[in-house]
Amino acid sequence: MTTARSPRDSLPKRAHLHQVFESYLNQLGLRQTRQRRIILDAVLASGRHVDAETIANEVKKTDSSIGLATVYRTLKMMTDSQILVERHFGGDRASFEFADQGDEHHDHLICKQCGEIVEFYDADLEKRQEEVAKNLGYKLIHHKMELFAECLGLDKCERKNSK
Amino acid sequence: MTTARSPRDSLPKRAHLHQVFESYLNQLGLRQTRQRRIILDAVLASGRHVDAETIANEVKKTDSSIGLATVYRTLKMMTDSQILVERHFGGDRASFEFADQGDEHHDHLICKQCGEIVEFYDADLEKRQEEVAKNLGYKLIHHKMELFAECLGLDKCERKNSK
DNA sequence: GTGCTTGCAAACAGTTTGCATGCGG
DNA sequence: CCGCATGCAAACTGTTTGCAAGCAC
């Protein structure tokens, strides 16, 4: 029923994102540049949830001359090109994650203790949300749902707690 | 099953919030001031979801000398005193709403067309969320859920569309 | 009076933008 | 070489904070 999705599950799918971005650029007459390639690589190599500054730091390891503004501009382009989605969890920093591909939408469970983010999909919840919207006289377009929780078995948590 | 809550439903309950805030101030040795009273009045008179700037504008109608910083400081105190809860819907501005009283928790449905915000409570969703968390090995503490939708009958919407 | 409060301006964090220069196609 | 891209610094938004003066108790 409830399906957890580990950060690794979608790794194979990321392979063609280079192509997706490339053709996006071409279609708009935009250019492939060294910095855009480096930034995309950094994004692909990173975990599922990253913020601009993390990427900027990562990118600077390869080329320290790349500016924060370029990272922001490029992340926005990737969002426009449907590679990434922008999320606002905590409040301040925006975080980016890979866009869902077709049907593979998911929601998030965030551990209050260690900050671990688990992605999941639950058909019952999805269905009930549509019903609820209809009951209220609306047609559901999409939703945002985050469950805040704490570990039952502490094993998952403790690893991260120390960091 | 699904219960909608209109903005008016909780009006009677707001009456004693003055007292709540007052005793909060007393307990901490803080002072009741003209500006705090004015700000609380503005909050009480406002709709369920307000941002700092809206309150600041409202407050300035009564006393134009009241600064934005005071509004922020006071809204934070009201949040600390459990009168208000801070929410982050869109991304930029924070919005404040009256805190749930005991069991009367609710979620939000936001109309993509007119921006109307409907509050609702659905026991099935709540229950399923707990199950999902448990399935993933966590204990649910609380959640954040927003349904984005469009009106089925346009009557609700059109009124607001014009504004 | 004591010290919490206030308004103002300055500081802040995250993000965006203007501009002269650089570089891809 | 045309014109998009870049880096830098400055602008901007929402919010917070330092400070001297003001007011509640």
Side-chain angles (χ1 to χ4, degrees):
Chain A
M1 292 270 85
T2 310
T3 314
R5 180 129 70 79
S6 107
R8 302 292 149 242
D9 288 357
S10 12
L11 267 179
K13 291 179 184 158
R14 294 190 196 170
H16 76 295
L17 291 184
H18 256 113
Q19 323 278 0
V20 174
F21 191 45
E22 208 166 301
S23 61
Y24 168 82
L25 292 176
N26 289 335
Q27 275 167 36
L28 293 182
L30 303 177
R31 288 166 191 175
Q32 297 174 212
T33 65
R34 182 174 40 85
Q35 19 286 80
R36 283 176 188 169
R37 251 174 270 121
I38 294 175
I39 292 169
L40 180 51
D41 285 343
V43 168
L44 290 173
S46 73
R48 278 194 62 88
H49 301 92
V50 263
D51 55 282
E53 214 177 328
T54 303
I55 291 295
N57 290 335
E58 206 53 42
V59 151
K60 276 189 211 299
K61 289 179 188 170
T62 304
D63 181 341
S64 65
S65 74
I66 295 179
L68 189 51
T70 301
V71 172
Y72 273 109
R73 281 189 277 238
T74 306
L75 285 176
K76 174 161 286 176
M77 296 182 58
M78 292 178 178
T79 301
D80 291 342
S81 75
Q82 313 272 32
I83 287 181
L84 297 181
V85 174
E86 191 177 343
R87 298 288 243 123
H88 293 263
F89 286 118
D92 19 359
R93 277 176 178 71
S95 100
F96 295 84
E97 64 174 52
F98 296 101
D100 295 320
Q101 320 242 310
D103 56 337
E104 56 167 75
H105 151 84
H106 67 268
D107 293 296
H108 296 96
L109 179 149
I110 296 122
C111 179
K112 281 278 203 178
Q113 280 151 55
C114 60
E116 170 87 7
I117 300 179
V118 181
E119 298 180 350
F120 69 88
Y121 174 84
D122 186 77
D124 289 357
L125 274 179
E126 304 284 324
K127 199 174 115 228
R128 187 57 189 161
Q129 286 174 334
E130 290 198 7
E131 290 170 4
V132 165
K134 188 185 280 184
N135 286 347
L136 295 172
Y138 290 84
K139 181 172 179 304
L140 189 62
I141 299 175
H142 67 271
H143 66 261
K144 209 156 104 179
M145 174 168 57
E146 288 137 35
L147 306 183
F148 296 90
E150 55 191 16
C151 305
L152 282 178
L154 286 176
D155 46 325
K156 284 196 202 62
C157 243
E158 281 172 332
R159 227 176 306 151
K160 283 257 181 157
N161 255 333
S162 47
K163 95 165 184 187
Chain B
M1 293 270 85
T2 312
T3 313
R5 181 129 69 78
S6 106
R8 303 292 150 243
D9 289 358
S10 13
L11 268 177
K13 290 178 184 159
R14 294 190 194 170
H16 77 296
L17 292 183
H18 256 113
Q19 323 278 357
V20 175
F21 191 46
E22 208 165 302
S23 61
Y24 168 82
L25 292 177
N26 289 336
Q27 275 167 37
L28 293 180
L30 303 176
R31 288 167 191 173
Q32 298 172 213
T33 65
R34 183 175 39 87
Q35 19 286 80
R36 284 177 187 167
R37 252 174 269 121
I38 293 174
I39 293 169
L40 180 51
D41 285 343
V43 168
L44 290 173
S46 73
R48 278 195 62 90
H49 303 91
V50 261
D51 55 284
E53 213 177 327
T54 303
I55 291 295
N57 289 337
E58 205 52 43
V59 151
K60 276 191 211 299
K61 290 180 188 170
T62 304
D63 182 341
S64 64
S65 75
I66 295 179
L68 189 51
T70 301
V71 172
Y72 273 108
R73 281 189 279 238
T74 306
L75 286 175
K76 173 161 287 176
M77 296 182 59
M78 291 179 180
T79 300
D80 292 342
S81 74
Q82 314 271 32
I83 287 181
L84 297 180
V85 174
E86 191 178 340
R87 299 288 242 124
H88 294 261
F89 286 118
D92 20 357
R93 277 176 178 73
S95 99
F96 295 84
E97 64 173 53
F98 295 101
D100 295 320
Q101 320 243 309
D103 55 336
E104 56 167 77
H105 151 84
H106 66 267
D107 293 297
H108 296 97
L109 179 150
I110 296 123
C111 179
K112 281 277 202 178
Q113 280 151 55
C114 61
E116 170 87 7
I117 300 177
V118 181
E119 299 179 352
F120 69 88
Y121 174 83
D122 186 77
D124 288 359
L125 275 178
E126 304 284 324
K127 198 173 117 228
R128 186 58 189 160
Q129 285 174 332
E130 291 198 8
E131 290 169 5
V132 165
K134 188 184 280 183
N135 287 347
L136 296 171
Y138 290 84
K139 180 172 179 302
L140 188 63
I141 300 175
H142 67 271
H143 66 260
K144 208 156 104 178
M145 174 169 57
E146 286 136 36
L147 306 183
F148 297 89
E150 54 191 18
C151 306
L152 283 178
L154 287 176
D155 45 326
K156 282 194 203 66
C157 244
E158 283 173 327
R159 226 176 308 150
K160 283 253 179 161
N161 254 332
S162 49
K163 93 164 184 186

